[in-house]
Amino acid sequence: RAAAMAGYEGAGGGAGGMDDGSAGGGGGNLPNVLITGTPGTGKTSLAAAVAEETGMRHLCVGEMIKEKGFHAGKDDEFDSFVLDEEGEDRLMDEMEPLLSAGGCVVDFHSCEFFPERWFHLVLVLRTDNTILFDRLTKRGYEAKKITENVECEIMQVVLEEAHRSYSDQIVHEVPSNTIEDMESNVDRVASWLATWKGEHAADGDAAAAAAADA
């Protein structure tokens, strides 16, 4: 986990209680988790740590878009790749078999175009504005890009997007300011996953017993 946490900077508590995600989708033997939030909130670091702790497969969507060319070029003003409709379709085609198999932890700064059926748990990371400003400055972001992202965090843009896109039952807002926050969030997801496995194993045993008695 230490390697995944490298560079994670930032005070806040741990994640709130998480249900078993029965309102989500995803298919496969294991659930899928989406970690989203404004750029600089620590999505990729947390997703990598969760994957390391749980054995889930980490899918960094931003890297997939960049490496596989699922974009229409780069926006020089904001130093980011433009995800057009064609690129989005290609991205969805690439991700579909992976998410259908289950057991993935996905991170991206947007979430509204992912199918609701893919995820059992959605974490929206929240970071104090001052801490976020410092993180983005250290990344070398231009002033306009920093201002835009800090304003998005203040206006809760990603949080509202998540609530529009997924059942409130599976969306959880969690602090992401410190290493302690990250450790708590990893532990909460690991605990949630263990509970999910136990409950679904019990469901499978009950189904098997019913079939045997039929």
Side-chain angles (χ1 to χ4, degrees), residues 49 63 69 113 124 131 141 153 161 176:
E63 286 301 311
F113 59 84
V124 182
I131 293 173
Y141 281 16
E153 184 68 0
E161 180 182 293
S176 183

Side-chain angles (χ1 to χ4, degrees), residues 82-105:
V82 178
L83 183 63
D84 60 0
E85 185 174 347
E86 179 183 353
E88 184 178 313
D89 289 342
R90 293 169 61 200
L91 175 64
M92 296 298 98
D93 289 343
E94 180 80 11
M95 294 180 67
E96 176 66 42
L98 302 175
L99 275 295
S100 294
C104 294
V105 54

Side-chain angles (χ1 to χ4, degrees), residues 4-152:
M5 290 183 177
Y8 188 90
E9 300 172 356
M18 299 176 185
D19 57 51
D20 68 357
S22 58
N29 296 321
L30 289 175
N32 297 311
V33 176
L34 173 62
I35 298 176
T36 189
T38 305
T41 52
K43 300 177 297 297
T44 301
S45 296
L46 177 58
V50 167
E52 182 179 335
E53 182 75 12
T54 64
M56 299 179 77
R57 179 174 184 171
H58 177 200
L59 299 179
C60 179
V61 176
E63 286 301 311
M64 293 177 68
I65 292 172
K66 178 181 177 180
E67 292 175 2
K68 295 183 178 294
F70 298 153
H71 58 80
K74 197 168 187 178
D75 184 330
D76 293 330
E77 183 178 6
F78 290 100
D79 190 28
S80 61
F81 291 101
V82 178
L83 183 63
D84 60 0
E85 185 174 347
E86 179 183 353
E88 184 178 313
D89 289 342
R90 293 169 61 200
L91 175 64
M92 296 298 98
D93 289 343
E94 180 80 11
M95 294 180 67
E96 176 66 42
L98 302 175
L99 275 295
S100 294
C104 294
V105 54
V106 175
D107 82 83
F108 197 48
H109 62 263
S110 181
C111 62
E112 61 185 355
F113 59 84
F114 296 132
E116 183 177 4
R117 58 184 166 79
W118 276 0
F119 299 107
H120 292 78
L121 177 66
V122 177
L123 298 187
V124 182
L125 305 191
R126 302 303 310 281
T127 299
D128 176 85
N129 300 329
T130 302
I131 293 173
L132 182 62
F133 180 91
D134 290 343
R135 289 180 184 173
L136 297 178
T137 299
K138 289 181 179 179
R139 287 186 179 185
Y141 281 16
E142 296 293 333
K144 185 174 182 178
K145 187 174 181 180
I146 293 174
T147 299
E148 181 189 61
N149 284 312
V150 171
E151 288 178 350
C152 283

